[in-house]
Amino acid sequence: MIPGPATLYPDAVTTTHRSQSGARMSLSQTQPDNSTRASMVLVTGGALWGLYWIPVRFFYDQGLTGPWSGIAMYCAALIALIPFVWPDRRMLARQWRDLMLSGMFTGAAFSLYSISLVYTDVVRSILLFYLTPIWGTILGVVFLKERLSVMRLMGLICGLGGLFVVLGGAGFVPWPQNLGDWLALASGICWALGTLGLYKAGSMTISGQVFAFVIGALLLSLVSLLMLGGQTLPNITSEESIRIAGYALLSAFYVLPMIYMTIWPATKLSPAKVGLLLMSEVVVGIASAAALSGEPFGLREFLGATLIVSAAVLEILRK
């Protein structure tokens, strides 16, 4: 048998193999790992959520009042999703229970948040949604028998303090002042409940989870048409309908990447890190609302935002 290169020059081959392995290790060390990449994607996704009020208000100005702006965007997003979820249709049919659990609550949070942006100030919608540490603490203590530690108690106090400041009017009474406030509060509660469904549906594909998310948002928006009085079909012409449909299809290029950039990182990062990085929505949302919408942002809003963000940070540090 003719000896091969490994037999003739064993030291040279070993040296070459080691050098190639070292080069591969050096190259892999210079590339960002999944955690770093997922963190960057999540911060970007949170920033997009902070600007989500802009397309919602745009469709409202086009004549789509109440839930109709969300319905238009969700329908367009579903159409754009079909090519991505079609290969997984059998798996989605088998996991329909987890699909319903995750989609109904997270989609409801998405829908209620969208509607609240029409009925109240952008800053109030964002801050009231991010009271989720309060609801997470209550759910954990009541249903999961978690211990109310000092850290959780501090987070609860900060969250309630932020609620007190944000909702405090002339009489400084922490009570929702309009329908949008109530919807924003409800959206945060639904999101806290929906995270359990997302956790249980961890084996589902990312496209399947996005599909459940959008389906839940669309169904809740359709139900809200019955719950909210005076939400008839928009009074728009056929020409305006065609133009709005075109805008809705364009919005899918914004809505779907935003949802993907929220759900995919959540499969790579710990819940604590996800909660911290999503705070980019608060920063971008408040800054853009103050700069573009002309809504007031004074000392009371700043103090409320600081307390609510502190509640989220304390919850993250606890975990």
Side-chain angles (χ1 to χ4, degrees):
M1 182 176 66
I2 300 174
T7 306
L8 289 173
Y9 311 106
D11 294 337
V13 172
T14 303
T15 303
T16 303
H17 177 72
R18 287 174 179 171
S19 63
Q20 290 175 347
S21 301
R24 285 195 296 267
M25 291 177 61
S26 176
L27 179 63
S28 64
Q29 289 172 353
T30 60
Q31 294 176 343
D33 57 11
N34 281 340
S35 176
T36 303
R37 190 180 299 111
S39 298
M40 296 170 62
V41 170
L42 187 58
V43 170
T44 305
L48 290 177
W49 277 108
L51 297 173
Y52 178 66
W53 65 271
I54 296 177
V56 171
R57 293 285 181 89
F58 171 79
F59 282 108
Y60 178 81
D61 293 336
Q62 300 298 312
L64 300 184
T65 60
W68 284 107
S69 59
I71 291 173
M73 288 190 285
Y74 308 149
C75 289
L78 281 179
I79 294 173
L81 266 176
I82 291 176
F84 298 96
V85 300
W86 185 255
D88 301 324
R89 60 190 183 279
R90 292 186 177 86
M91 186 189 66
L92 296 179
R94 290 194 302 268
Q95 295 181 320
W96 68 271
R97 291 183 178 86
D98 290 340
L99 186 76
M100 291 287 291
L101 181 61
S102 63
M104 288 303 100
F105 283 113
T106 56
F110 189 29
S111 175
L112 293 172
Y113 176 69
S114 300
I115 301 172
S116 73
L117 291 170
V118 176
Y119 290 103
T120 191
D121 295 340
V122 174
V123 173
R124 294 168 71 89
S125 289
I126 293 174
L127 294 181
L128 293 176
F129 173 82
Y130 270 96
L131 288 170
T132 47
I134 294 179
W135 320 129
T137 298
I138 294 174
L139 290 173
V141 172
V142 174
F143 295 104
L144 302 179
K145 308 302 180 184
E146 293 181 349
R147 185 172 60 90
L148 188 61
S149 62
V150 175
M151 190 74 77
R152 292 205 93 169
L153 184 60
M154 291 174 60
L156 192 61
I157 292 173
C158 286
L160 290 173
L163 177 67
F164 190 87
V165 172
V166 172
L167 294 181
F172 215 67
V173 178
W175 196 255
Q177 299 178 3
N178 51 52
L179 177 62
D181 289 352
W182 282 109
L183 294 175
L185 270 175
S187 68
I189 297 173
C190 287
W191 182 256
L193 291 168
T195 51
L196 176 62
L198 284 174
Y199 181 76
K200 287 190 64 178
S203 61
M204 192 184 299
T205 63
I206 303 301
S207 295
Q209 293 182 7
V210 173
F211 177 76
F213 193 100
V214 178
I215 282 287
L218 178 59
L219 291 178
L220 196 282
S221 297
L222 293 173
V223 170
S224 66
L225 291 175
L226 303 176
M227 305 298 292
L228 301 174
Q231 297 300 325
T232 58
L233 286 172
N235 186 20
I236 54 179
T237 64
S238 57
E239 292 81 5
E240 291 173 334
S241 300
I242 296 174
R243 187 180 72 253
I244 291 173
Y247 287 139
L249 290 174
L250 285 175
S251 72
F253 291 96
Y254 173 83
V255 172
L256 286 180
M258 177 179 67
I259 300 175
Y260 269 96
M261 285 191 287
T262 305
I263 291 181
W264 176 77
T267 65
K268 307 293 183 183
L269 303 173
S270 66
K273 197 167 186 177
V274 170
L276 177 62
L277 296 176
L278 272 180
M279 285 289 119
S280 60
E281 179 186 354
V282 177
V283 177
V284 174
I286 291 176
S288 61
L292 301 177
S293 70
E295 295 180 359
F297 183 78
L299 179 60
R300 182 162 61 88
E301 287 79 9
F302 175 78
L303 179 59
T306 302
L307 288 171
I308 290 173
V309 172
S310 298
V313 171
L314 288 171
E315 177 70 5
I316 290 164
L317 291 177
R318 183 192 69 83
K319 294 179 179 180

